[in-house]
Structures are given as structure tokens and as C-alpha cells.
Amino acid sequence: MAKSRPFLTAEWRYLVMLNYDVPPGLLEPYVPAGTILDLWQGKTYVSLVGFLFQNTRLLGCPIPGHRHFEELNLRFYVRREVDGEVRRGVTFLKELVPRSAIARVARRVYNEPYESRPMRHSMIPPASSGGLPSRVEYSWREDAGQWGRISFIPAGPPESLVPGSEAEFITEHYWGYTRQRDGGTIEYQVTHPAWQVAPAASTAVEGDLETLSGASLATFLRGGPTSAFLATGSAVTVYRPVRIPIR
């Protein structure tokens, strides 16, 4: 299938990926029409992901003041079969960015559940060329004025993905699926090279998780991740969305 035109290009860097095995019934109400839950070894995953957007361009053009920023998202995994091709994708439950214009465009074009909140990040020490920071943290301002955060300390250097591994399953989803206001679904492709990943020595999640994820999922987020890793990231291209036929 020929790709649609690129909508956004950027670099995604230092992706903290905290993954939780949850009952599928918690996610079924949010599965976009035309897709089904994508499982790994019978497990249904939700991931809490924090990362940096860098060198962002919209329709090929840099937007002053909107090129470098943080994102935090809560996502799960779905799949769709098209003429024998299995398209493995993600669906977002919540996405936070610090730029209100980014959130407005994403809601209008994709109907993605974006919110604009003050955000910040820290890396200790600053990442050097070809290396990883010894600690990564992403934070967001909550309604009460406090700061929620996720943090990650790597246990070792990044390594290439192992075929068939959980890390490969989490990172190798190259489609996005979003429910629309009329009940339909849009599909868009995301391309990037395979990422290297580093395992976790320790992780932390703090904040008002009920507001972030809802009460049911917050229980799992507070219980600690089933797995966690830091992906190095790369340049990415996000293509324009298309509406899929619903049978």
C-alpha cells in the first residue's frame, strides 16, 4: 500500500516505556471500530510512555517555539488485518504535551485525546553522543498544582531488539488507530528504524494517576510495571490519517 503524505516529522528520543499487564475487559470499551486487541503471549498491555519531541516539523515546516518539547502518553495495542497484512498499531487513552497549539492540532486532525499541561524533564547526567543518561525523568503539572512524574534508571547499555521479545512487541507497532466522534476510525502510519532498548534498574511513577488514567487503570499503574525499558529513539515520520472502512 502506498503511504499517504507525511504530516509530521520529528525525532523521538529517550522513551521511558513502563508496561502493565491488565485485564482485556478494561480496554475493550476503547478499542476503535475495525480493530481488535493485540496480545503478546496472551497478555494485554497498557504502556505509560514519556519522551522528547525534537526538531519537529509540521507539513515540512518548523513551527517557532514548537520544535522541542516533552510528551507523556498512556496507550494500548491493537491490530487490523488488510488483505492478509497484519497492521499492528497503538491507541491512546491520554496524551500530554506542554504546547497548546500542538494539542489543538492533534485533536482537530486526528481526534487524539491530547491535553496541554506544563511539563519538564531532567537527565542525569546530560546524554552524551552515543550514550544514555544515568537517570531520566518526565514531569507534568497536575490540576492541584503538584507535579506528577515518571522516572527511569537504566541497568545497562542499550541493545538491539531480540526478535519475538516483549520489547520488540511494545516498540514495533507502526500504525495508529483513533476513534472518531461519529464512531468511525482513522488509521495513520508511523515509520522509524528499530530502536535499541536498555533494561531498568529502577522506575517510579508518582502523581494523580486516577485523573491521568481513570480509577481502574490507576490501580495497575500504582502496582508497578510488568516490564520497563528505555528506548533510544530515532527520527520518525507520521503520515496523514485516512478513514478505514468498517464492515
Side-chain angles (χ1 to χ4, degrees), residues 11-246:
E11 297 174 19
W12 293 348
R13 298 295 181 185
Y14 304 112
L15 297 94
V16 173
M17 310 188 85
L18 310 182
N19 313 301
Y20 304 82
D21 179 9
V22 304
L26 292 182
L27 301 178
E28 289 286 0
Y30 305 101
V31 174
T35 71
I36 61 173
L37 287 172
D38 195 12
L39 310 182
W40 185 77
Q41 296 188 355
K43 297 178 181 179
T44 308
Y45 280 103
V46 164
S47 296
L48 186 59
V49 181
F51 63 101
L52 293 178
F53 258 95
Q54 296 181 335
N55 299 316
T56 306
R57 290 175 175 264
L58 192 65
L59 299 176
C61 300
I63 309 300
H66 293 75
R67 296 195 66 197
H68 312 291
F69 54 92
E70 303 88 352
E71 177 171 323
L72 181 90
N73 65 58
L74 184 66
R75 73 190 208 181
F76 67 97
Y77 304 93
V78 297
R79 60 193 295 161
R80 173 178 178 244
E81 186 170 335
V82 181
D83 298 329
E85 173 196 359
V86 176
R87 297 181 179 176
R88 302 170 65 191
V90 301
T91 293
F92 295 100
L93 297 168
K94 181 74 65 92
E95 296 170 271
L96 304 181
V97 290
R99 301 287 189 264
S100 58
I102 296 290
R104 286 196 302 270
V105 170
R107 287 195 300 265
R108 183 171 66 249
V109 176
Y110 291 87
N111 196 38
E112 294 279 16
Y114 267 92
E115 294 181 12
S116 174
R117 290 180 177 270
M119 297 183 70
R120 62 193 184 193
H121 72 278
S122 66
M123 297 189 185
I124 305 172
S128 59
S129 177
L132 285 181
S134 61
R135 184 175 184 273
V136 180
E137 179 176 300
Y138 297 100
S139 305
W140 65 98
R141 179 72 63 84
E142 298 177 328
D143 290 339
Q146 304 300 315
W147 287 85
R149 71 180 183 95
I150 65 172
S151 63
F152 183 101
I153 296 176
E159 297 181 350
S160 297
L161 293 169
V162 175
S165 66
E166 181 188 50
E168 183 188 54
F169 172 82
I170 295 295
T171 60
E172 301 285 277
H173 280 75
Y174 291 105
W175 298 87
Y177 293 96
T178 308
R179 292 197 300 179
Q180 299 302 286
R181 297 174 183 86
D182 62 1
T185 299
I186 62 166
E187 171 188 80
Y188 56 92
Q189 191 170 10
V190 180
T191 59
H192 61 76
W195 295 328
Q196 291 190 317
V197 297
S202 68
T203 66
V205 180
E206 298 177 2
D208 180 2
L209 300 182
E210 286 77 13
T211 297
L212 180 69
S213 66
S216 296
L217 285 176
T219 300
F220 291 90
L221 300 188
R222 292 193 186 283
T226 307
S227 68
F229 49 85
L230 179 68
T232 53
S234 67
V236 301
T237 300
V238 180
Y239 290 86
R240 289 177 180 268
V242 296
R243 183 174 286 263
I244 69 172
I246 306 298

